[in-house]
C-alpha cells in the first residue's frame, strides 16, 4: 500500500518560481511510488477556471492539487507580503486538516518561517511524519539585508523556526554550507536528523546549444541581441542578490555597445534597476520577462556569460538554484558569491568560471572585460567544465533517488 504524502508549498506548476518548478518535477517523479497531494497557492496570471473559491481542486497526472486563493503579492510592499503569508498560513493549515489520511507531510521553508510552522502544526494534529526542506534559512536571509530594524522580530522568528526543526522527523538542506548553519543553530543541543540533497535542473532537457541553433537564434533575433556579447542574469530580481547595485556595473561599459547586459525575470528590485538604467540613459541593458519553462533552455544558451549572485551575508543561508541551469547549458559563470558558499565551491571545483566577493563592483567590471577579451573558444572550454561536473555529481536522477529513498524510509 502506497504512503500518502502531502507536499505543502506556496508554488507549484504552472508557476515560474524555481521552487515551484523543482517541486513539480519531484512530485512527477514520485507519483508512481507514493500517493501524492500538493497544497499550493493559485498561480497569478494563469487561467485555472473560477477563482472565487478559497480551495480549488485540480489534478496533474496522478497528483492531486489543492490550490489556495490568497491575495496577490506586491513584492515591494511589506504589508502585502504579510497579508499573503497570513492568508497562506490559515488556508494551508485548513487544507491540510481536511485531508483524511496523511503518512508524511513534506513542507519547505517558504513562505519564511510559516512553511515550517504549517508542517509542525500538521504533524501534531494529523499524527504523521514531517520532512522539512530548508531551501532558505530565515530569519537569517532577511537579517542579512536588514529587512527590518526590529531585532526582537528576528529573534522570535528564529525561535519559531527552530521549533519547527525540532519537531521534524528529518530536515533537508540544499547545500553543505547550509548544513553548517543548521548545526550552528543547535550548537550545544541535539541536531535533528538531517541530510543534504542539492537542487537540480533537468540536464536531459537543458543542454549546450550553439547560438546558431534555430531556437536560440530565434530568441536572439526576437530580442535584437545579434552581434552582442551577452552578460545575462536569469531568475528572480529579488531582495537577496544586490542587483540594485550590480546593475551600476553596466555604466562602466556604456562606451562598449557590443557588450550587453540582459536581465530576465521579475522581482522586488526590478523597478529600481529600470529607473537607474533610464536615469543614466544606458543603451546596453535589456529587461525581459520570465521565459516559459520550455524556452529557458534557449535563452540560457543565448548568453556568453551568466551572472550567479548573492548578497553579502547569504553564505550558508541560501543556494542560488539558477547555477544548475547555467552549468547544464555549458556556459561560463561570473559568480558574485562569498568564498566557501555552496555555489562558489561548485564554480571552483568544476572550473566553470570565476568567483568574486559580493560588493566588489570594480572587480566585476574587470572580470567581464577579461571574459570578453579571452575569446569564444576559451569561454566554451570553461563552460564545458560546468556541464561535465553537473553530469557526474549533480544529475537530476541522483537527487530524485535520494528523495525517494528518504521518503520510503521515514
Amino acid at each position: 500500500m502506497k504512503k500518502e504524502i502531502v507536499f505543502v508549498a506556496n508554488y507549484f506548476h504552472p508557476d515560474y518560481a524555481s521552487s515551484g518548478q523543482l517541486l513539480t518535477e519531484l512530485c512527477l517523479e514520485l507519483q508512481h511510488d507514493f500517493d501524492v497531494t500538493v497544497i499550493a497557492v493559485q498561480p497569478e496570471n494563469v487561467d485555472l477556471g473560477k477563482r472565487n473559491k478559497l480551495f480549488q481542486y485540480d489534478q496533474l497526472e496522478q497528483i492531486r492539487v489543492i490550490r489556495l486563493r490568497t491575495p496577490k503579492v506586491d513584492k515591494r510592499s511589506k504589508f502585502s507580503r504579510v497579508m499573503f503569508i497570513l492568508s497562506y498560513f490559515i488556508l494551508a493549515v485548513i487544507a491540510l486538516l481536511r485531508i483524511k489520511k496523511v503518512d508524511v507531510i513534506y513542507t519547505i521553508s517558504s513562505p519564511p518561517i510559516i512553511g515550517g510552522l504549517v508542517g509542525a502544526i500538521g504533524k501534531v494534529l494529523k499524527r504523521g511524519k514531517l520532512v522539512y526542506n530548508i531551501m532558505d534559512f530565515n530569519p537569517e536571509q532577511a537579517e542579512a539585508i536588514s529587512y527590518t530594524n526590529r531585532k526582537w522580530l528576528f529573534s522570535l522568528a528564529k525561535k519559531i523556526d527552530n521549533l519547527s526543526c525540532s519537531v521534524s522527523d528529518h530536515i533537508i538542506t540544499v547545500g553543505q554550507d547550509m548544513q553548517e548553519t543548521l548545526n550552528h543553530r543547535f550548537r550545544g543541543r541535539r541536531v535533528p536528523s538531517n541530510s543534504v540533497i542539492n537542487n537540480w535542473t533537468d540536464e536531459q532537457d537543458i543542454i549546450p546549444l550553439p547560438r546558431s541553433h534555430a531556437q536560440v537564434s530565434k530568441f536572439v533575433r526576437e530580442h535584437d541581441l545579434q552581434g552582442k556579447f551577452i552578460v545575462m542574469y536569469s531568475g528572480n530580481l529579488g531582495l537577496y542578490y544586490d542587483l540594485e547595485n550590480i546593475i551600476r556595473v553596466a555604466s562602466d561599459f556604456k562606451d562598449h555597445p557590443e557588450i550587453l547586459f540582459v536581465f530576465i525575470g521579475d522581482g522586488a528590485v526590478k523597478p529600481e534597476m529600470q529607473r537607474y538604467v533610464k536615469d543614466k540613459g544606458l543603451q546596453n541593458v535589456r529587461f525581459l520577462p520570465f521565459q516559459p519553462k520550455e524556452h529557458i533552455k534557449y535563452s540560457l544558451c543565448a548568453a556568453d556569460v551568466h551572472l550567479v549572485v548573492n548578497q553579502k551575508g547569504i553564505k550558508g543561508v541560501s543556494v542560488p538554484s539558477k547555477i544548475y541551469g547555467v552549468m547544464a547549458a555549458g556556459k561560463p559563470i561570473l559568480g558574485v558569491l562569498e568564498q566557501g558558499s555552496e555555489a562558489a565551491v561548485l564554480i571552483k571545483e568544476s572550473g566553470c568560471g570565476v568567483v568574486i566577493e559580493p560588493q566588489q563592483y570594480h572587480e566585476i567590471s574587470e572580470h567581464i572585460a577579461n571574459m570578453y577579451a579571452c575569446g569564444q573558444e576559451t569561454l566554451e572550454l570553461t563552460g564545458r567544465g560546468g556541464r561535465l561536473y553537473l553530469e557526474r555529481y549533480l544529475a537530476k536522477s541522483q537527487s530524485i533517488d535520494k528523495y525517494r529513498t528518504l521518503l520510503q524510509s521515514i
Side-chain angles (χ1 to χ4, degrees):
M1 196 169 174
K2 292 182 180 180
K3 282 185 182 177
E4 297 278 350
I5 300 184
V6 180
F7 291 83
V8 186
N10 49 349
Y11 300 118
F12 188 71
H13 173 85
D15 259 306
Y16 291 134
S18 60
S19 60
Q21 294 186 23
L22 286 166
L23 184 64
T24 301
E25 292 183 7
L26 176 61
C27 290
L28 287 171
E29 292 288 343
L30 297 180
Q31 63 180 325
H32 304 294
D33 304 285
F34 308 96
D35 285 330
V36 176
T37 300
V38 175
I39 299 173
V41 302
Q42 295 179 0
E44 296 179 6
N45 303 320
V46 177
D47 183 13
L48 292 172
K50 293 182 178 179
R51 294 177 176 273
N52 58 345
K53 294 182 179 179
L54 289 177
F55 304 97
Q56 180 180 347
Y57 297 88
D58 196 8
Q59 191 87 12
L60 178 65
E61 296 188 9
Q62 297 178 35
I63 303 164
R64 296 179 296 276
V65 185
I66 304 171
R67 301 192 187 273
L68 314 175
R69 194 185 75 188
T70 54
K72 187 174 181 180
V73 185
D74 179 356
K75 294 185 177 181
R76 292 163 290 179
S77 167
K78 291 181 182 180
F79 177 77
S80 176
R81 286 173 180 261
V82 169
M83 292 305 296
F84 167 79
I85 287 172
L86 286 177
S87 61
Y88 172 85
F89 171 68
I90 295 169
L91 294 176
V93 170
I94 293 172
L96 187 54
L97 295 181
R98 283 180 167 185
I99 300 174
K100 289 184 179 180
K101 184 176 183 293
V102 178
D103 292 315
V104 180
I105 300 168
Y106 174 106
T107 189
I108 69 172
S109 56
S110 180
I113 312 303
I114 297 302
L117 187 58
V118 170
I121 292 172
K123 173 182 175 171
V124 172
L125 297 180
K126 299 299 292 185
R127 299 186 179 184
K129 300 294 185 180
L130 174 60
V131 175
Y132 185 18
N133 184 344
I134 301 179
M135 294 190 176
D136 307 291
F137 272 107
N138 271 294
E140 290 91 336
Q141 187 169 234
E143 199 168 6
I145 63 166
S146 301
Y147 190 73
T148 177
N149 57 8
R150 295 178 175 87
K151 299 296 183 183
W152 65 268
L153 196 57
F154 290 137
S155 178
L156 176 62
K158 187 175 290 186
K159 287 179 181 177
I160 294 172
D161 201 50
N162 278 350
L163 178 63
S164 299
C165 291
S166 296
V167 303
S168 299
D169 294 280
H170 195 87
I171 297 171
I172 299 168
T173 56
V174 296
Q176 297 293 339
D177 58 339
M178 292 183 66
Q179 191 177 48
E180 293 173 12
T181 300
L182 179 66
N183 292 334
H184 180 73
R185 271 195 179 190
F186 285 85
R187 60 186 182 279
R189 294 175 291 152
R190 185 186 69 83
V191 181
S193 172
N194 67 93
S195 59
V196 177
I197 304 179
N198 63 270
N199 288 336
W200 65 85
T201 194
D202 187 348
E203 75 279 2
Q204 302 300 320
D205 180 46
I206 299 178
I207 60 174
L209 297 171
R211 199 176 285 187
S212 58
H213 182 277
Q215 292 296 327
V216 179
S217 179
K218 180 182 178 183
F219 174 84
V220 170
R221 288 194 315 274
E222 285 181 347
H223 300 289
D224 194 24
L225 309 177
Q226 302 98 315
K228 303 294 185 180
F229 181 85
I230 299 172
V231 180
M232 181 179 289
Y233 176 92
S234 179
N236 180 28
L237 306 179
L239 298 169
Y240 307 112
Y241 308 105
D242 197 31
L243 291 167
E244 67 273 26
N245 291 310
I246 290 175
I247 186 71
R248 299 170 186 271
V249 169
S251 295
D252 297 338
F253 298 92
K254 62 183 178 182
D255 296 326
H256 298 272
E258 69 280 7
I259 298 177
L260 185 66
F261 293 80
V262 177
F263 294 90
I264 300 178
D266 202 355
V269 303
K270 185 175 181 178
E272 184 178 345
M273 295 170 70
Q274 290 174 317
R275 278 196 301 273
Y276 177 81
V277 170
K278 183 179 180 180
D279 290 346
K280 294 296 181 180
L282 298 180
Q283 302 298 314
N284 60 340
V285 180
R286 300 277 171 77
F287 292 96
L288 302 179
F290 278 119
Q291 299 299 297
K293 187 175 185 295
E294 62 272 17
H295 293 163
I296 290 175
K297 53 191 169 186
Y298 306 127
S299 61
L300 290 177
C301 289
D304 294 283
V305 175
H306 277 271
L307 292 171
V308 174
V309 305
N310 257 344
Q311 176 63 279
K312 193 174 184 66
I314 300 296
K315 176 187 175 185
V317 173
S318 179
V319 179
S321 58
K322 64 180 64 61
I323 190 172
Y324 303 109
V326 176
M327 292 174 76
K331 292 296 179 178
I333 296 173
L334 178 54
V336 185
L337 305 156
E338 291 170 283
Q339 299 295 330
S341 64
E342 182 78 4
V345 170
L346 293 181
I347 293 169
K348 289 192 171 183
E349 287 188 351
S350 65
C352 69
V354 295
V355 176
I356 306 162
E357 283 286 329
Q359 301 178 2
Q360 302 302 310
Y361 308 114
H362 180 65
E363 285 190 42
I364 297 174
S365 294
E366 285 186 342
H367 280 288
I368 289 174
N370 291 339
M371 295 173 101
Y372 171 68
C374 73
Q376 283 299 316
E377 187 175 340
T378 300
L379 291 176
E380 288 175 9
L381 188 63
T382 302
R384 196 177 305 144
R387 173 71 194 193
L388 294 174
Y389 187 94
L390 184 90
E391 290 175 350
R392 185 171 183 179
Y393 300 110
L394 304 170
K396 173 184 172 181
S397 60
Q398 294 179 19
S399 292
I400 297 293
D401 286 344
K402 289 177 183 177
Y403 274 105
R404 182 180 289 109
T405 301
L406 170 65
L407 292 170
Q408 287 172 338
S409 68
I410 291 293

